[in-house]
């Protein structure tokens, strides 16, 4: 039997980052993973393959629909979908191999198999054929999440699918029906719309990407509608049936109180994810869940058993890879006696559609609700030289700052390369910058970053220069 200072269960971005930081801090560390490859949801069936497919579909879409504006004529453009999916697989396997390399480099012992607590210091790891026991002084539960479904709807993985299957289809759908206008639903709608599918999105709420600032959802819906995506907001799905070669989806229009039926060849269910603790033996370890099935933790991410920590998608908070990574580092440093801190308000959120949507801090709705006095400044990309030069003028940046102190409280953007632009806003807010601080910093011309400076100028006494 092997004995470790720390045993990390799960090798996603939470688990593998935590294991590396533990090893860097001198702890004898093991990592347990039930699948043959490391990297968890993010590397295998989440962030990495979805971004790879988004990128390929974007290149195709640009070639067929925007090259002519640039004066480039292309005569015959075809999609080799098999090659597209193969490239995604290659990117995934290179990235997962990279994690394995890092485990070996940091002398972290890898155990492949499903981990189940036997007691609060022992984990049984079983690969279906044999099992081994791993002892730990401390444990970190980083077991992530799985797709949720809706009551009465069976995900058969053939026609009624989750993101995992949608990233590995053998054909481009003719008509993809998407349930859920959240992050997964919209990123995968973009992929298949660009590749030629008809795409219909059914969303229960009255707007898409409901967790973000309302202006972002409105703008994104406008652009995606222009691209041909059909939206059915305020629609509650009541039935999904696989009829062989087809799938039929019924939903109730909540505003008109009538039923609609859509028929397509695939139905993607993207209504959120649930924490994954199946067969983890939490009862044997005496670890408690909260009322939403997440592992219950205190502000130091300790469970009710103080030597067992939990991080990432399996605990409260946003289900994001970088949030899981920060928590992995925090827990390792806490175990080593350091005093790390995470400001959850400054974890950015990004939707990788095109235009991209990115956000950090408080939304306008939250500030109104909390009665915080605020002012705002917006700047549209169409007023920016760089955006016009690249023919990318959809979108805007909105800066929310405290009315009296001018401190930036929230930044919300939709437009070209916003996934990268948001980094400057996070940095500014981390150092508690005022809108005027950013407005006074020189930003290279012509770049997209100038839109952030201009939005900050607009928030500072309405001083935008190019508007
Ligand atoms: P996971 O990555 O889920 O890893 C948990 C690991 O634990 C898994 O490998 C699992 O097999 C293993 N495990 C579970 N139970 C056991 C057990 N008992 N024994 C052994 N091993 C076990 N986030 C972003 O920030 N950016 C994105 O662009 C993004 N895109 C996404 C796209 C899609 C399609 C999806 C589905 C998700 C996306 N996410 C994205 C979310 C992101 O993938 C998750 O937030 C992140 O993976 C959570 O990390 P984690 O370490 O908590 O868990
Ligand atoms: P989500 O929570 O983003 O969106 C789910 C949507 O489904 C919501 O808009 C909800 O109102 C809707 N919905 C729920 N029940 C419904 C019903 N009965 N009928 C119609 N609509 C219904 O969840 P999603 O998209 O599944 O993503 C899961 C998680 O994965 C997210 O929390 C996200 O953080 C993470 N993720 C992050 C990405 C990124 O950072 N770019 C990309 C993909 C996923």
């Amino acid at each position: 039997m092997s004995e470790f200072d720390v045993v990390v269960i799960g090798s996603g971005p939470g688990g593998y980052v935590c294991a590396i930081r533990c090893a860097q801090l001198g702890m004898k560390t093991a990592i347990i993973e039930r699948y043959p490859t490391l990297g968890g949801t993010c590397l295998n069936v989440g962030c990495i393959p979805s971004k790879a497919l988004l990128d390929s579909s974007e290149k195709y879409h640009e070639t067929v629909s925007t090259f002519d504006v640039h004066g480039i004529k292309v005569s015959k453009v075809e999609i080799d979908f098999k090659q597209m999916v193969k490239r995604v697989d290659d990117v995934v396997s290179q990235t997962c191999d990279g994690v394995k390399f890092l485990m070996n480099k940091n002398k972290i012992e890898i155990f492949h198999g499903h981990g189940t607590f036997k007691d609060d210091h022992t984990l049984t790891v079983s690969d279906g054929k044999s099992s081994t026991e791993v002892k730990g002084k401390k444990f970190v539960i980083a077991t992530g999440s799985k797709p949720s479904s809706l009551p009465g709807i069976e995900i058969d993985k053939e026609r009624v699918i989750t993101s995992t299957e949608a990233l590995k289809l053998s054909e481009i759908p003719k008509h993809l029906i998407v349930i859920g206008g959240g992050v997964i639903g919209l990123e995968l709608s973009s992929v298949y719309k660009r590749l030629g599918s008809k795409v219909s999105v059914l969303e229960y709420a009255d707007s898409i990407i409901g967790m973000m600032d309302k202006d972002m959802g409105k703008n994104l819906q406008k652009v995606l509608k222009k691209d041909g995506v059909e939206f059915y907001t305020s629609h509650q799905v009541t039935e999904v049936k696989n009829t062989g070669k087809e799938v039929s989806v019924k939903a109730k229009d909540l505003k008109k109180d009538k039923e609609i039926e859509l028929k397509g060849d695939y139905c993607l269910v993207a209504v959120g994810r649930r924490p994954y603790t199946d067969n983890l033996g939490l009862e044997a370890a005496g670890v408690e869940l909260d009322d939403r099935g997440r592992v219950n933790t205190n502000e130091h991410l300790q469970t009710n058993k103080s030597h067992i920590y939990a991080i990432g998608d399996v605990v409260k908070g946003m289900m994001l890879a970088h949030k899981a990574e920060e928590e992995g580092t925090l827990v390792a440093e806490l175990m080593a006696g350091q005093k790390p801190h995470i400001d959850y308000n400054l974890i950015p959120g990004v939707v990788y559609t095109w235009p991209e949507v990115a956000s950090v801090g408080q939304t306008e709705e939250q500030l109104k609700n909390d009665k915080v006095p605020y002012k705002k400044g917006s700047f549209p990309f169409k007023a920016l030289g760089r955006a016009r030069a690249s023919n990318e003028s959809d979108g805007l940046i909105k800066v929310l700052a405290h009315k009296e102190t001018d401190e930036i409280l929230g930044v919300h953007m939709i437009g070209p390369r916003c996934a990268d632009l948001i980094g400057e806003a996070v940095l500014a807010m981390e150092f508690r910058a005022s809108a005027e601080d950013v407005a006074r910093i020189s930003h290279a011309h012509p770049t997209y970053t100038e839109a952030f400076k201009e939005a900050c100028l607009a928030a500072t006494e309405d001083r935008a220069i190019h508007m």
Side-chain angles (χ1 to χ4, degrees):
M1 189 192 300
S2 321
E3 185 153 11
F4 295 87
D5 295 326
V6 184
V7 177
V8 180
I9 314 166
S11 71
Y16 86 75
V17 168
C18 181
I20 293 173
R21 191 72 189 112
C22 287
Q24 285 175 344
L25 291 165
M27 296 173 232
K28 187 183 173 197
T29 308
I31 193 158
I32 321 294
E33 174 53 58
R34 64 199 291 267
Y35 288 118
T37 54
L38 303 179
T41 304
C42 177
L43 274 62
N44 289 279
V45 293
C47 326
I48 298 300
S50 61
K51 266 78 257 179
L53 203 52
L54 274 155
D55 209 57
S56 298
S57 63
E58 210 168 288
K59 284 191 170 19
Y60 170 73
H61 179 72
E62 260 191 55
T63 311
V64 294
S65 56
T66 66
F67 273 22
D68 56 339
V69 180
H70 292 271
I72 303 167
K73 284 199 187 301
V74 277
S75 49
K76 196 174 177 213
V77 186
E78 283 177 74
I79 298 172
D80 179 350
F81 192 54
K82 227 169 150 184
Q83 166 59 23
M84 211 177 259
V85 174
K86 183 187 169 297
R87 189 190 81 90
V88 173
D89 289 345
D90 291 346
V91 172
V92 167
S93 73
Q94 283 161 19
T95 317
C96 293
D97 287 351
V99 175
K100 192 171 174 193
F101 165 81
L102 292 173
M103 295 299 105
N104 294 336
K105 181 183 158 202
N106 286 284
K107 302 193 172 36
I108 295 160
E109 199 162 330
I110 304 167
F111 292 84
H112 282 287
H114 188 102
T116 307
F117 280 104
K118 185 177 172 193
D119 58 51
D120 67 354
H121 280 285
T122 319
L123 198 74
T124 306
V125 182
S126 168
D127 64 3
K129 289 181 211 124
S130 59
S131 67
T132 180
E133 281 189 3
V134 180
K135 284 229 170 243
K137 291 186 189 125
K138 291 184 174 146
F139 287 84
V140 180
I141 300 171
T143 50
S145 61
K146 288 274 176 212
S148 312
S149 186
L150 296 170
I153 289 171
E154 190 209 340
I155 294 178
D156 57 44
K157 301 191 179 180
E158 298 284 334
R159 302 242 159 243
V160 186
I161 58 177
T162 69
S163 54
T164 304
E165 294 76 46
L167 291 166
K168 287 183 191 306
L169 289 178
S170 55
E171 59 178 358
I172 297 169
K174 289 181 195 65
H175 182 186
L176 177 67
I177 301 168
V178 178
I179 308 179
V183 203
I184 293 182
L186 297 177
E187 288 187 357
L188 288 168
S189 290
S190 299
V191 165
Y192 287 108
K193 184 67 220 159
R194 291 168 189 158
L195 296 180
S197 307
K198 175 177 178 186
V199 176
S200 311
V201 178
L202 291 152
E203 166 58 53
Y204 180 81
D206 61 2
S207 59
I208 59 169
I209 45 169
M211 65 294 178
M212 285 185 141
D213 190 280
K214 281 259 183 282
D215 279 346
M216 300 300 112
K218 263 192 232 158
N219 274 281
L220 183 61
Q221 189 167 342
K222 211 160 52 183
V223 180
L224 293 180
K225 231 170 145 179
K226 203 170 71 188
D227 287 346
V229 177
E230 270 182 16
F231 285 97
Y232 297 85
T233 50
S234 301
H235 276 71
Q236 182 177 22
V237 172
T238 49
E239 188 185 283
V240 179
K241 261 195 197 154
N242 175 351
T243 57
K245 285 198 170 147
E246 233 184 26
V247 57
S248 119
V249 178
K250 287 188 181 159
K252 189 173 165 196
D253 181 334
L254 298 169
K255 286 197 172 144
K256 296 189 182 142
D257 195 22
K258 65 167 199 193
E259 193 178 70
I260 63 157
E261 182 176 11
L262 300 178
K263 287 190 175 160
D265 48 349
Y266 289 93
C267 171
L268 167 66
V269 182
V271 293
R273 295 177 59 87
R274 67 169 177 90
Y276 183 71
T277 55
D278 297 6
N279 194 22
L280 185 56
L282 290 181
E283 320 70 40
V287 171
E288 289 164 3
L289 298 178
D290 69 13
D291 54 357
R292 291 170 62 183
R294 304 172 294 198
V295 177
N296 208 7
T297 50
N298 65 16
E299 72 279 16
H300 290 143
L301 297 168
Q302 279 168 309
T303 68
N304 55 307
K305 292 277 178 174
S306 59
H307 67 290
I308 303 181
Y309 294 75
I311 59 172
D313 281 10
V314 79
V315 301
K316 61 183 176 291
M318 288 182 281
M319 288 187 168
L320 293 174
H322 42 288
K323 178 255 193 188
E325 289 183 26
E326 294 307 325
E327 291 185 338
T329 303
L330 177 120
V331 158
E333 293 178 353
L334 282 173
M335 289 191 288
Q338 299 182 3
K339 292 190 168 46
H341 171 71
I342 297 173
D343 185 346
Y344 285 96
N345 183 45
L346 296 187
I347 305 266
V350 175
V351 189
Y352 295 83
T353 45
W354 196 266
E356 293 173 331
V357 188
S359 160
V360 62
Q362 305 285 296
T363 63
E364 205 169 339
E365 294 74 39
Q366 283 169 328
L367 294 177
K368 274 185 190 149
N369 249 343
D370 297 346
K371 301 200 169 34
V372 177
Y374 72 94
K375 52 188 181 165
K376 69 175 163 181
S378 291
F379 191 80
F381 279 101
K382 67 171 184 271
L384 197 72
R386 168 80 251 185
R388 274 197 306 274
S390 305
N391 203 30
E392 292 289 359
S393 44
D394 281 330
L396 60 104
I397 296 188
K398 175 162 106 175
V399 171
L400 304 168
H402 195 282
K403 198 163 190 169
E404 282 119 39
T405 66
D406 197 34
E407 180 175 352
I408 301 174
L409 303 175
V411 179
H412 308 282
M413 39 177 86
I414 171 166
R417 302 198 201 156
C418 283
D420 298 299
L421 292 181
I422 199 70
E424 186 186 350
V426 179
L427 187 68
M429 289 175 70
E430 188 71 49
F431 287 94
R432 303 197 60 180
S434 64
E436 190 176 358
D437 286 335
V438 175
R440 287 188 179 279
I441 294 170
S442 170
H443 286 67
H445 175 74
T447 60
Y448 292 116
T449 66
E450 289 170 287
F452 183 40
K453 176 184 169 118
E454 290 275 7
C456 285
L457 274 167
T460 314
E461 298 160 17
D462 208 4
R463 279 174 41 201
I465 301 286
H466 294 91
M467 202 173 55

